[in-house]
Amino acid sequence: MKRSHDVPIERGVPHLIFDIGPVTFAVAGSKVIELIESQDLARTPSLPRCIRGLTNLRGTVLPVIDLSLKFGNEETPTDRHACIVVVEVIHDGAATPLGLITTFVHDVAGILPSVIEPPPPFGAAVDVAYLAGMFQYGDRFALLMDTDRLLSVDELLGTRAESATLRES
C-alpha cells in the first residue's frame, strides 16, 4: 500500500489571473511583486500614451501601464475593483518594477504546464508576439503574458514612436 507522501503530486505553477477590460490575462506569480490600490498618477506628456502615469511606491518611481491603450483600445476605467499589479521585468540585466492597471483581479491559481496551449495565430485580443500561451479559465480563456517582451522598454518606447507617426499623418 502506498502512503500519501509516496504518490507524486503534479503541482501547478502559480499565476495571477486578472482582467483588463473584457480580456482575461495571467502572469506568472514569480513576476508579480505586489498588488496596490488604484491611485492618482502623475502624468508626464513626454511618455507614450499607454503609460498612464507615474506613482511613488515606497520611494521608487513606478511607471503604470495601461495595456488596453497599448493594444489600441479605450483607456482602462479605474473603479473600486481596479488595482495596480506591480510586476518585475528585466531591463538591461536589472529587475525593474512596472505597474499594470487592471479592472479586476480574480485569483492566484496553480496552472499546470500541460494545460497551457499556444495562442492561435489569429483571433486573439492581443498580438500573439506578446503571449507565452493561453489556457482555459472557467468559461473563458486566459492569455498568458510574456511580460519581458510585452513590457520591454524598447516595446513601450516603440509605442511612443508609433503614436508620433500617427499624429504626423
PDB file of all heavy atoms in Angstrom, residues 2 6 19 27 32 39 47 54 62-63 65-66 72-73 82 87-88 96 111 130 138 145 155:
ATOM      1  N   LYS A   2       0.540   2.199  -0.865  1.00  0.00           N
ATOM      2  CA  LYS A   2       1.302   3.445  -0.931  1.00  0.00           C
ATOM      3  C   LYS A   2       0.793   4.411   0.114  1.00  0.00           C
ATOM      4  O   LYS A   2      -0.402   4.553   0.317  1.00  0.00           O
ATOM      5  CB  LYS A   2       1.148   4.095  -2.309  1.00  0.00           C
ATOM      6  CG  LYS A   2       1.972   3.451  -3.371  1.00  0.00           C
ATOM      7  CD  LYS A   2       1.944   4.324  -4.599  1.00  0.00           C
ATOM      8  CE  LYS A   2       2.893   3.769  -5.627  1.00  0.00           C
ATOM      9  NZ  LYS A   2       3.069   4.659  -6.728  1.00  0.00           N
ATOM     10  N   ASP A   6       4.044   9.102  -0.781  1.00  0.00           N
ATOM     11  CA  ASP A   6       4.750   8.378  -1.837  1.00  0.00           C
ATOM     12  C   ASP A   6       4.139   8.634  -3.217  1.00  0.00           C
ATOM     13  O   ASP A   6       4.716   8.264  -4.226  1.00  0.00           O
ATOM     14  CB  ASP A   6       4.715   6.862  -1.575  1.00  0.00           C
ATOM     15  CG  ASP A   6       5.515   6.485  -0.338  1.00  0.00           C
ATOM     16  OD1 ASP A   6       6.451   7.233   0.005  1.00  0.00           O
ATOM     17  OD2 ASP A   6       5.185   5.449   0.268  1.00  0.00           O
ATOM     18  N   ASP A  19      -8.375  40.706 -15.096  1.00  0.00           N
ATOM     19  CA  ASP A  19      -8.992  41.256 -16.306  1.00  0.00           C
ATOM     20  C   ASP A  19      -8.434  42.643 -16.576  1.00  0.00           C
ATOM     21  O   ASP A  19      -8.175  43.415 -15.645  1.00  0.00           O
ATOM     22  CB  ASP A  19     -10.506  41.391 -16.151  1.00  0.00           C
ATOM     23  CG  ASP A  19     -11.223  40.066 -16.092  1.00  0.00           C
ATOM     24  OD1 ASP A  19     -10.637  39.035 -16.481  1.00  0.00           O
ATOM     25  OD2 ASP A  19     -12.395  40.060 -15.653  1.00  0.00           O
ATOM     26  N   VAL A  27      -0.332  36.181 -15.481  1.00  0.00           N
ATOM     27  CA  VAL A  27       1.103  36.439 -15.444  1.00  0.00           C
ATOM     28  C   VAL A  27       1.683  35.503 -14.386  1.00  0.00           C
ATOM     29  O   VAL A  27       1.048  35.242 -13.362  1.00  0.00           O
ATOM     30  CB  VAL A  27       1.403  37.932 -15.163  1.00  0.00           C
ATOM     31  CG1 VAL A  27       0.958  38.344 -13.786  1.00  0.00           C
ATOM     32  CG2 VAL A  27       2.860  38.259 -15.372  1.00  0.00           C
ATOM     33  N   VAL A  32       5.223  38.689 -10.279  1.00  0.00           N
ATOM     34  CA  VAL A  32       4.393  39.626  -9.527  1.00  0.00           C
ATOM     35  C   VAL A  32       5.087  40.004  -8.220  1.00  0.00           C
ATOM     36  O   VAL A  32       5.487  39.142  -7.449  1.00  0.00           O
ATOM     37  CB  VAL A  32       3.008  39.016  -9.236  1.00  0.00           C
ATOM     38  CG1 VAL A  32       2.167  39.970  -8.391  1.00  0.00           C
ATOM     39  CG2 VAL A  32       2.289  38.678 -10.541  1.00  0.00           C
ATOM     40  N   GLN A  39      -4.598  54.452  -7.756  1.00  0.00           N
ATOM     41  CA  GLN A  39      -4.343  55.759  -7.164  1.00  0.00           C
ATOM     42  C   GLN A  39      -4.133  56.798  -8.244  1.00  0.00           C
ATOM     43  O   GLN A  39      -3.996  56.475  -9.424  1.00  0.00           O
ATOM     44  CB  GLN A  39      -3.129  55.689  -6.248  1.00  0.00           C
ATOM     45  CG  GLN A  39      -1.918  55.031  -6.873  1.00  0.00           C
ATOM     46  CD  GLN A  39      -0.915  54.601  -5.833  1.00  0.00           C
ATOM     47  OE1 GLN A  39       0.032  55.316  -5.588  1.00  0.00           O
ATOM     48  NE2 GLN A  39      -1.123  53.443  -5.217  1.00  0.00           N
ATOM     49  N   LEU A  47       5.835  60.883 -22.117  1.00  0.00           N
ATOM     50  CA  LEU A  47       5.716  59.425 -22.103  1.00  0.00           C
ATOM     51  C   LEU A  47       4.697  58.956 -23.130  1.00  0.00           C
ATOM     52  O   LEU A  47       3.768  59.687 -23.472  1.00  0.00           O
ATOM     53  CB  LEU A  47       5.278  58.955 -20.708  1.00  0.00           C
ATOM     54  CG  LEU A  47       6.282  59.160 -19.585  1.00  0.00           C
ATOM     55  CD1 LEU A  47       5.654  58.769 -18.251  1.00  0.00           C
ATOM     56  CD2 LEU A  47       7.531  58.346 -19.831  1.00  0.00           C
ATOM     57  N   LEU A  54       2.917  58.070 -13.455  1.00  0.00           N
ATOM     58  CA  LEU A  54       3.910  57.597 -12.501  1.00  0.00           C
ATOM     59  C   LEU A  54       3.335  57.709 -11.098  1.00  0.00           C
ATOM     60  O   LEU A  54       2.517  58.583 -10.816  1.00  0.00           O
ATOM     61  CB  LEU A  54       5.180  58.450 -12.597  1.00  0.00           C
ATOM     62  CG  LEU A  54       5.803  58.597 -13.977  1.00  0.00           C
ATOM     63  CD1 LEU A  54       6.912  59.641 -13.952  1.00  0.00           C
ATOM     64  CD2 LEU A  54       6.328  57.274 -14.477  1.00  0.00           C
ATOM     65  N   LEU A  62       7.370  54.470 -10.003  1.00  0.00           N
ATOM     66  CA  LEU A  62       6.770  53.321 -10.665  1.00  0.00           C
ATOM     67  C   LEU A  62       5.953  53.780 -11.862  1.00  0.00           C
ATOM     68  O   LEU A  62       4.930  54.437 -11.694  1.00  0.00           O
ATOM     69  CB  LEU A  62       5.863  52.568  -9.678  1.00  0.00           C
ATOM     70  CG  LEU A  62       5.158  51.333 -10.221  1.00  0.00           C
ATOM     71  CD1 LEU A  62       6.166  50.189 -10.392  1.00  0.00           C
ATOM     72  CD2 LEU A  62       4.038  50.920  -9.279  1.00  0.00           C
ATOM     73  N   PRO A  63       6.412  53.468 -13.092  1.00  0.00           N
ATOM     74  CA  PRO A  63       5.574  53.743 -14.256  1.00  0.00           C
ATOM     75  C   PRO A  63       4.385  52.780 -14.239  1.00  0.00           C
ATOM     76  O   PRO A  63       4.530  51.605 -13.929  1.00  0.00           O
ATOM     77  CB  PRO A  63       6.483  53.435 -15.447  1.00  0.00           C
ATOM     78  CG  PRO A  63       7.858  53.278 -14.890  1.00  0.00           C
ATOM     79  CD  PRO A  63       7.702  52.917 -13.451  1.00  0.00           C
ATOM     80  N   ILE A  65       1.349  51.196 -16.501  1.00  0.00           N
ATOM     81  CA  ILE A  65       1.000  50.934 -17.892  1.00  0.00           C
ATOM     82  C   ILE A  65      -0.473  50.584 -18.004  1.00  0.00           C
ATOM     83  O   ILE A  65      -0.996  49.835 -17.190  1.00  0.00           O
ATOM     84  CB  ILE A  65       1.827  49.736 -18.441  1.00  0.00           C
ATOM     85  CG1 ILE A  65       3.299  49.825 -18.060  1.00  0.00           C
ATOM     86  CG2 ILE A  65       1.614  49.562 -19.929  1.00  0.00           C
ATOM     87  CD1 ILE A  65       4.030  51.013 -18.536  1.00  0.00           C
ATOM     88  N   ASP A  66      -1.114  51.111 -19.046  1.00  0.00           N
ATOM     89  CA  ASP A  66      -2.485  50.729 -19.384  1.00  0.00           C
ATOM     90  C   ASP A  66      -2.400  49.886 -20.649  1.00  0.00           C
ATOM     91  O   ASP A  66      -2.241  50.408 -21.745  1.00  0.00           O
ATOM     92  CB  ASP A  66      -3.344  51.967 -19.604  1.00  0.00           C
ATOM     93  CG  ASP A  66      -4.812  51.638 -19.783  1.00  0.00           C
ATOM     94  OD1 ASP A  66      -5.140  50.486 -20.142  1.00  0.00           O
ATOM     95  OD2 ASP A  66      -5.644  52.539 -19.562  1.00  0.00           O
ATOM     96  N   GLY A  72      -4.370  49.383 -28.393  1.00  0.00           N
ATOM     97  CA  GLY A  72      -5.185  50.174 -29.318  1.00  0.00           C
ATOM     98  C   GLY A  72      -6.641  50.304 -28.924  1.00  0.00           C
ATOM     99  O   GLY A  72      -7.474  50.702 -29.733  1.00  0.00           O
ATOM    100  N   ASN A  73      -6.967  49.998 -27.672  1.00  0.00           N
ATOM    101  CA  ASN A  73      -8.350  50.093 -27.201  1.00  0.00           C
ATOM    102  C   ASN A  73      -8.524  51.326 -26.326  1.00  0.00           C
ATOM    103  O   ASN A  73      -7.629  52.143 -26.197  1.00  0.00           O
ATOM    104  CB  ASN A  73      -8.717  48.821 -26.425  1.00  0.00           C
ATOM    105  CG  ASN A  73      -8.586  47.592 -27.297  1.00  0.00           C
ATOM    106  OD1 ASN A  73      -9.028  47.577 -28.434  1.00  0.00           O
ATOM    107  ND2 ASN A  73      -7.962  46.561 -26.756  1.00  0.00           N
ATOM    108  N   ALA A  82     -10.718  48.143  -9.491  1.00  0.00           N
ATOM    109  CA  ALA A  82      -9.441  48.293 -10.192  1.00  0.00           C
ATOM    110  C   ALA A  82      -8.286  48.283  -9.192  1.00  0.00           C
ATOM    111  O   ALA A  82      -8.425  48.722  -8.055  1.00  0.00           O
ATOM    112  CB  ALA A  82      -9.428  49.591 -10.988  1.00  0.00           C
ATOM    113  N   VAL A  87       4.619  44.316 -11.442  1.00  0.00           N
ATOM    114  CA  VAL A  87       5.371  43.179 -11.967  1.00  0.00           C
ATOM    115  C   VAL A  87       6.827  43.563 -12.145  1.00  0.00           C
ATOM    116  O   VAL A  87       7.170  44.745 -12.188  1.00  0.00           O
ATOM    117  CB  VAL A  87       4.794  42.676 -13.318  1.00  0.00           C
ATOM    118  CG1 VAL A  87       3.383  42.157 -13.152  1.00  0.00           C
ATOM    119  CG2 VAL A  87       4.850  43.763 -14.384  1.00  0.00           C
ATOM    120  N   GLU A  88       7.650  42.555 -12.258  1.00  0.00           N
ATOM    121  CA  GLU A  88       9.078  42.760 -12.448  1.00  0.00           C
ATOM    122  C   GLU A  88       9.449  42.346 -13.866  1.00  0.00           C
ATOM    123  O   GLU A  88       9.127  41.242 -14.290  1.00  0.00           O
ATOM    124  CB  GLU A  88       9.822  41.899 -11.434  1.00  0.00           C
ATOM    125  CG  GLU A  88      11.309  42.038 -11.461  1.00  0.00           C
ATOM    126  CD  GLU A  88      11.926  41.176 -10.373  1.00  0.00           C
ATOM    127  OE1 GLU A  88      12.144  39.986 -10.647  1.00  0.00           O
ATOM    128  OE2 GLU A  88      12.165  41.699  -9.281  1.00  0.00           O
ATOM    129  N   THR A  96      13.293  45.492 -12.984  1.00  0.00           N
ATOM    130  CA  THR A  96      12.651  46.798 -12.973  1.00  0.00           C
ATOM    131  C   THR A  96      11.164  46.621 -12.679  1.00  0.00           C
ATOM    132  O   THR A  96      10.499  45.850 -13.369  1.00  0.00           O
ATOM    133  CB  THR A  96      12.818  47.483 -14.351  1.00  0.00           C
ATOM    134  OG1 THR A  96      14.220  47.555 -14.655  1.00  0.00           O
ATOM    135  CG2 THR A  96      12.215  48.860 -14.368  1.00  0.00           C
ATOM    136  N   ILE A 111      -1.328  26.693 -12.242  1.00  0.00           N
ATOM    137  CA  ILE A 111      -1.608  26.269 -13.618  1.00  0.00           C
ATOM    138  C   ILE A 111      -0.585  25.211 -14.017  1.00  0.00           C
ATOM    139  O   ILE A 111       0.629  25.456 -13.962  1.00  0.00           O
ATOM    140  CB  ILE A 111      -1.544  27.466 -14.604  1.00  0.00           C
ATOM    141  CG1 ILE A 111      -2.471  28.592 -14.139  1.00  0.00           C
ATOM    142  CG2 ILE A 111      -1.857  27.024 -16.018  1.00  0.00           C
ATOM    143  CD1 ILE A 111      -3.927  28.228 -14.018  1.00  0.00           C
ATOM    144  N   TYR A 130       3.148  38.880 -27.961  1.00  0.00           N
ATOM    145  CA  TYR A 130       3.229  39.270 -26.558  1.00  0.00           C
ATOM    146  C   TYR A 130       2.769  38.166 -25.610  1.00  0.00           C
ATOM    147  O   TYR A 130       2.709  38.380 -24.408  1.00  0.00           O
ATOM    148  CB  TYR A 130       2.367  40.499 -26.296  1.00  0.00           C
ATOM    149  CG  TYR A 130       2.772  41.710 -27.097  1.00  0.00           C
ATOM    150  CD1 TYR A 130       1.818  42.454 -27.779  1.00  0.00           C
ATOM    151  CD2 TYR A 130       4.094  42.121 -27.159  1.00  0.00           C
ATOM    152  CE1 TYR A 130       2.171  43.579 -28.497  1.00  0.00           C
ATOM    153  CE2 TYR A 130       4.452  43.243 -27.876  1.00  0.00           C
ATOM    154  CZ  TYR A 130       3.487  43.967 -28.549  1.00  0.00           C
ATOM    155  OH  TYR A 130       3.841  45.073 -29.250  1.00  0.00           O
ATOM    156  N   GLY A 138     -12.157  28.729 -16.252  1.00  0.00           N
ATOM    157  CA  GLY A 138     -13.615  28.761 -16.139  1.00  0.00           C
ATOM    158  C   GLY A 138     -14.231  28.634 -17.523  1.00  0.00           C
ATOM    159  O   GLY A 138     -13.862  27.745 -18.300  1.00  0.00           O
ATOM    160  N   MET A 145       0.690  36.290 -20.421  1.00  0.00           N
ATOM    161  CA  MET A 145       1.595  37.344 -20.910  1.00  0.00           C
ATOM    162  C   MET A 145       3.045  36.905 -20.896  1.00  0.00           C
ATOM    163  O   MET A 145       3.491  36.250 -19.971  1.00  0.00           O
ATOM    164  CB  MET A 145       1.514  38.572 -20.000  1.00  0.00           C
ATOM    165  CG  MET A 145       0.314  39.370 -20.099  1.00  0.00           C
ATOM    166  SD  MET A 145       0.553  40.808 -19.002  1.00  0.00           S
ATOM    167  CE  MET A 145      -1.118  41.369 -18.944  1.00  0.00           C
ATOM    168  N   GLU A 155       9.871  48.143 -26.364  1.00  0.00           N
ATOM    169  CA  GLU A 155       8.499  47.979 -26.839  1.00  0.00           C
ATOM    170  C   GLU A 155       7.637  49.169 -26.433  1.00  0.00           C
ATOM    171  O   GLU A 155       6.876  49.697 -27.224  1.00  0.00           O
ATOM    172  CB  GLU A 155       7.915  46.671 -26.276  1.00  0.00           C
ATOM    173  CG  GLU A 155       6.603  46.280 -26.864  1.00  0.00           C
ATOM    174  CD  GLU A 155       6.667  45.945 -28.340  1.00  0.00           C
ATOM    175  OE1 GLU A 155       7.666  45.373 -28.800  1.00  0.00           O
ATOM    176  OE2 GLU A 155       5.697  46.272 -29.051  1.00  0.00           O
TER     177      GLU A 155
END
